[in-house]
Amino acid sequence: MARFIVGPACFGKSCVAIEYAETVFGLQHVIWIPAASPCFLRDLDEGVIAPQISQVDGQAALVVFDDLPSLDDERARAFSRTIDALLESGVEVMVTCVPIADRYGGLQRDRLRTTASDLLLTIDELEHARAWDDWRERVGRTVPLSARVASLAWSGSPHARVRLLEALAAEERLRETTLAIVHALVMGDGVASDLVPSRSADPSWLTSLAADNPYLGIDCAADRFRALEAPLGEVLAAFSPHMDGLATQAGPSSREALATLWARQLCGKGRADRAIELMRSSVGDDAAMTWVESENEALLRAGCLASCLDLLDGCCLGVRARRARAEALRAVRLLAMGERVRARDAAKAAAFSRETGRTLRLTSLAVLALADDTTLRQRALGELRLAALRAVRWAPVAGSPPDAMAARFDQLVERVVRDGGPIARDGAELGLAMGAVLAAGPAEGLARVWEAIESALADDVWLALLVAEALSRATRERALHLGGAAQLAPLAATVRRWAAADEPFADASRARAGLAFEEARLAGLLPDEPPMSVAAMLALKSWEAHLAGEAERYRAGQADRDAARLTRVAAGAGLRTSFGPPRRRAPLPLLFVRLFGAGEVRIGGEDAPPVAFGRAKAITLLALLALHVGRESSFESLAASLWPASAPDDARRNLYTVWSQLRRGLSLPNGQCPYLIRRRSTCLLNASLVRCDVTEFSDLCRSLMFGDLDADQWTRLAAAVETRFCDDLMFGEHENRDVADARRAATERLVDALVAASQRLMAQGGAQQGLWMARLAVQRDRTREDAHLALMRAQVKAGQRTAALASYLACRRVLSEELGIDPSREMQTMYRTLIDACDLSDASAASERTREDDVPPRALLQGAQRGVLE
């Protein structure tokens, strides 16, 4: 019977196969075939896999096809015939593959299929995998399927989840399946049937998705899913190459539209904080601004004030219309947070701008009326009265004095008091205008018309904000000491109704009103009002802590926001400042500079050809700046480096010409060049927008020398040395002395790191890995005696004495021909020791060769296979 282990990457399929081979067969007569190798497809097409296995080991008991790729129909049938042939010969077969590669349900007549759900940890295994304190917190709670993935529960690395997501993103599958996976990871939890593609008519599609991807936590019976908990940044970074295709599959025209759709769904589920995180990391300022406007009330109710302010701060950059709209939305949140001065400043920027829409302009005027205490408040109140009168077509003649308009507004108030008025009929804008005017003025007027305002605004967040501001204003000014508490009775009744609901103070705006109510009651302004119920007070305390935390988060980042705003003002005035970049990354393409090899410059994803910079000196100037990204270099030192034989004045003039050419070559289509920063006598590259492989090279050398690495990380570092850093730094530049010195220093650093890595690996028992690192060091600089010595030690450790003798002779020849010196005493001593050991082992080596001639070839082959498996 063929055993198929089917599951996503990082689910331990190969580990299960190895444990089975060791437990059942003791790793004897086990053939391991890496099916991902091209040689497997070649042998499969030729039909020689089963005959070759019988020739290699006539007693083969188990054949493992590891990581089977996705095969076409013809190759799938050929592989099924190969499995049948092996089974008929008495050999067990085990196959590991990802779900899309498993096409053998109808081809294989007899097989046992193990799914990813079967690979999850049991509760007992999970208990042993966790610290007791962590596990004790989960007693009595349902453990989600996503928490039982072995690679996450057993790994001690904090990057295990990132590696799992990257492996899942790299896995080949249908686009509709990938869309369902990303949707579940972004949403976190939800209705399972929402994951089914709209065009799918297969009722078993969801069941198959749940079985193959248990980290999604799909419960088909309950029609719910609870996916792996992962930060949105990690999910989006892993699946970023697929987002354009997923947007096409889902229906929206772009990845921004898809992200906006997901954000709206998250808001509808009460996950506003995650929705804001999604918009901040996925879309541009225009799309973010439009989304915040559409979800404004939901975001305010959720109480995500600080994070939404961070998002809106980025939207304040750029065009005037977007800036005015963003300031209006910021003003409301600052007022809800209690930052009255900053709310006034933000509202001032939007209230009297023509670029602000009608609703947002009215909102900004209301904030000014409630938060401002200067003469600007009177202007805002006048504009609000005018808006209220225009809403009922009572607008006075243009140019009427303020007293006439105020009298006309008083008539509107009397009408509302007399017969219910036109508020409910003419909409929420009239209710907001009248409520803001009356809440900012005497409480008596607000109490008289509150019933009509409340019916017009209904569940609008402004209803709660008006209550909160009216109560807060009365508390601050002690305005009720003559009139009594009757003036605030209608507002108190509204708060009481919210406190008596099934879910007291269900949103942040109502909680703000409840806190203002409690403040007024404790100040003695509402003596007849009894304390609230325990449930209402608990809800209020919870919201109070949340709002205090939001305010603290906002104030903690205020210094960065102020610095960014001053930088923008200075840039608009043509000034130069030393303020750092804003917290939210500007939507500008990154500049990538590659110095190792022939050199390469890319702006975003586009290559910048050398001809764009005019002269070769411009490329050299960029290289000199890229060697120290973010650090200033003086014009005098750069001129002397580029033209060492020229007079200082001539060199400086040449430098200014080359600087202009470099700036032109790095300019964006709008003519700006944000990558180069020039000051009075220095210049530098903008570290926030420039990425250079020199920085990556420094991190690589540091990791080789000091990093606490596992086997996979050592392998990746060695691959980086052989691929990305296989060439010298700017090897085509032979004239500039500073570049040559940097090239020599980089080579010395890399050889030092490789020699240290070789010694560390050998000390840890990794002789072969240490040998590999030492070879890389010798290849990079064959004149380094310590690299040859490390190679000899690694060869001796690996049992390659003859190769170690050859390495000594090669080192002696290089040192003699190129440096005119002899090897050190340590190398000579090691060489003589090897010679003596070879002389002593000649007789034993001859006898060993005689004994090996008596061993059958098949036994030798089995011994070699056993050595590889061990």
Side-chain angles (χ1 to χ4, degrees), residues 106-107 164 208 222 228 240-241 268 311 347-348 389 430 462 511 646 669 679 719 738 852 864:
L107 297 176
L164 174 62
S208 177
L228 169 70
S240 178
L311 182 62
K348 192 191 311 180
L389 294 173
L430 176 60
W462 270 106
S646 300
R679 299 201 171 107
D738 291 335
E852 287 181 359

Side-chain angles (χ1 to χ4, degrees), residues 568-739:
R568 293 196 299 273
V569 173
L575 304 176
R576 304 190 185 280
T577 69
S578 59
F579 292 105
R583 292 181 63 189
R584 186 169 181 266
R585 181 175 58 84
L588 294 173
L590 294 178
L591 172 66
F592 296 90
V593 181
R594 177 177 173 81
L595 297 184
F596 283 86
E600 180 185 7
V601 180
R602 287 186 293 114
I603 299 178
E606 302 291 335
D607 292 335
V611 69
F613 301 98
R615 296 165 59 180
K617 291 289 187 183
I619 299 294
T620 307
L621 174 59
L622 178 61
L624 292 174
L625 295 175
L627 287 173
H628 311 288
V629 175
R631 291 166 53 187
E632 298 185 9
S633 301
S634 65
F635 283 109
E636 287 76 8
S637 63
L638 292 173
S641 176
L642 291 170
W643 294 277
S646 300
D649 293 339
D650 295 337
R652 191 179 298 109
R653 283 193 294 269
N654 292 336
L655 177 61
Y656 292 152
T657 302
V658 171
W659 173 270
S660 300
Q661 293 172 346
L662 178 61
R663 185 178 181 85
R664 214 166 27 245
L666 296 179
S667 295
L668 299 176
N670 59 6
Q672 296 180 351
C673 180
Y675 311 110
L676 297 175
I677 300 176
R678 176 180 174 181
R679 299 201 171 107
R680 182 182 298 273
S681 59
T682 61
C683 59
L684 69 157
L685 288 177
N686 190 344
S688 64
L689 295 176
V690 178
R691 300 293 181 267
C692 182
D693 59 348
V694 172
T695 304
E696 183 183 356
F697 175 78
S698 299
D699 295 339
L700 179 141
C701 293
R702 192 178 301 108
S703 299
L704 286 172
M705 296 193 73
F706 310 112
D708 184 11
L709 310 175
D710 55 23
D712 291 340
Q713 292 170 327
W714 282 116
T715 304
R716 286 197 292 271
L717 291 179
V721 173
E722 293 183 287
T723 55
R724 294 196 295 276
F725 303 105
C726 59
D727 297 320
D728 290 331
L729 185 145
M730 292 288 289
F731 66 78
E733 173 60 58
H734 303 289
E735 299 179 358
N736 191 276
R737 181 176 301 175
D738 291 335
V739 173

Side-chain angles (χ1 to χ4, degrees), residues 96-423:
T96 68
C97 63
V98 296
I100 198 171
D102 182 30
R103 308 176 55 188
Y104 304 95
L107 297 176
Q108 204 61 46
R109 61 191 180 194
D110 190 12
R111 73 166 186 161
L112 177 63
R113 184 177 186 268
T114 301
T115 65
S117 299
D118 301 321
L119 300 176
L120 294 176
L121 299 179
T122 64
I123 298 298
D124 294 336
E125 292 171 331
L126 189 64
E127 181 177 359
H128 290 293
R130 296 180 179 275
W132 171 245
D133 291 339
D134 185 22
W135 177 248
R136 183 170 52 190
E137 295 178 0
R138 297 173 177 266
V139 172
R141 296 171 55 188
T142 302
V143 180
L145 294 177
S146 57
R148 294 165 52 189
V149 179
S151 60
L152 298 180
W154 281 344
S155 175
S157 172
H159 305 295
R161 184 179 60 242
V162 176
R163 290 200 296 267
L164 174 62
L165 292 173
E166 291 176 349
L168 294 175
E171 184 179 320
E172 182 184 0
R173 62 174 70 87
L174 297 177
R175 184 177 291 176
E176 59 185 16
T177 305
T178 304
L179 176 61
I181 291 173
V182 178
H183 177 85
L185 291 173
V186 169
M187 291 295 122
D189 56 64
V191 180
S193 56
D194 292 343
L195 305 177
V196 180
S198 57
R199 295 185 295 272
S200 177
D202 186 2
S204 64
W205 189 90
L206 187 61
T207 304
S208 177
L209 180 69
D212 294 335
N213 304 275
Y215 56 88
L216 299 181
I218 299 176
D219 186 348
C220 297
D223 195 21
R224 301 291 301 177
F225 71 87
R226 183 181 175 188
L228 169 70
E229 296 180 2
L232 276 174
E234 296 179 2
V235 176
L236 297 176
F239 287 90
S240 178
H242 307 280
M243 293 304 293
D244 291 328
L246 296 181
T248 304
Q249 179 72 27
S253 57
S254 66
R255 63 170 62 195
E256 282 195 351
L258 179 59
T260 303
L261 177 62
W262 281 338
R264 287 174 179 166
Q265 294 176 0
L266 285 170
C267 269
K269 294 171 54 179
R271 301 288 302 276
D273 51 348
R274 193 170 178 85
I276 293 173
E277 180 186 357
L278 175 63
M279 297 302 290
R280 183 188 295 115
S281 57
S282 304
V283 304
D285 292 334
D286 288 329
M289 182 72 241
T290 303
W291 176 77
V292 173
E293 280 191 86
S294 63
E295 303 293 333
N296 185 34
E297 291 191 12
L299 295 175
L300 283 171
R301 288 195 179 97
C304 299
L305 303 177
S307 56
C308 196
L309 281 170
D310 288 340
L311 182 62
L312 290 171
D313 278 343
C315 298
C316 290
L317 301 170
V319 296
R320 183 187 304 173
R322 187 178 66 221
R323 182 167 64 249
R325 291 155 55 203
E327 292 288 4
L329 294 171
R330 288 183 70 250
V332 181
R333 282 156 179 80
L334 289 168
L335 181 64
M337 193 182 289
E339 295 282 341
R340 306 176 64 84
V341 176
R342 297 186 184 277
R344 179 198 62 195
D345 295 339
K348 192 191 311 180
F352 307 108
S353 173
R354 295 182 178 180
E355 307 295 339
T356 311
R358 177 182 174 185
T359 301
L360 289 181
R361 183 171 179 270
L362 188 62
T363 299
S364 303
L365 290 170
V367 172
L368 271 181
L370 296 172
D372 191 69
D373 293 322
T374 65
T375 55
L376 195 61
R377 175 188 176 196
Q378 299 303 322
R379 182 180 174 186
L381 289 173
E383 293 286 342
L384 287 170
R385 290 190 183 97
L386 182 59
L389 294 173
R390 283 176 176 170
V392 294
R393 296 183 179 86
W394 281 15
V397 179
S400 299
D403 293 342
M405 188 167 56
R408 194 72 165 155
F409 182 81
D410 291 340
Q411 293 179 14
L412 179 59
V413 172
E414 294 298 333
R415 175 179 170 181
V416 172
V417 173
R418 184 178 63 251
D419 54 14
I423 293 184

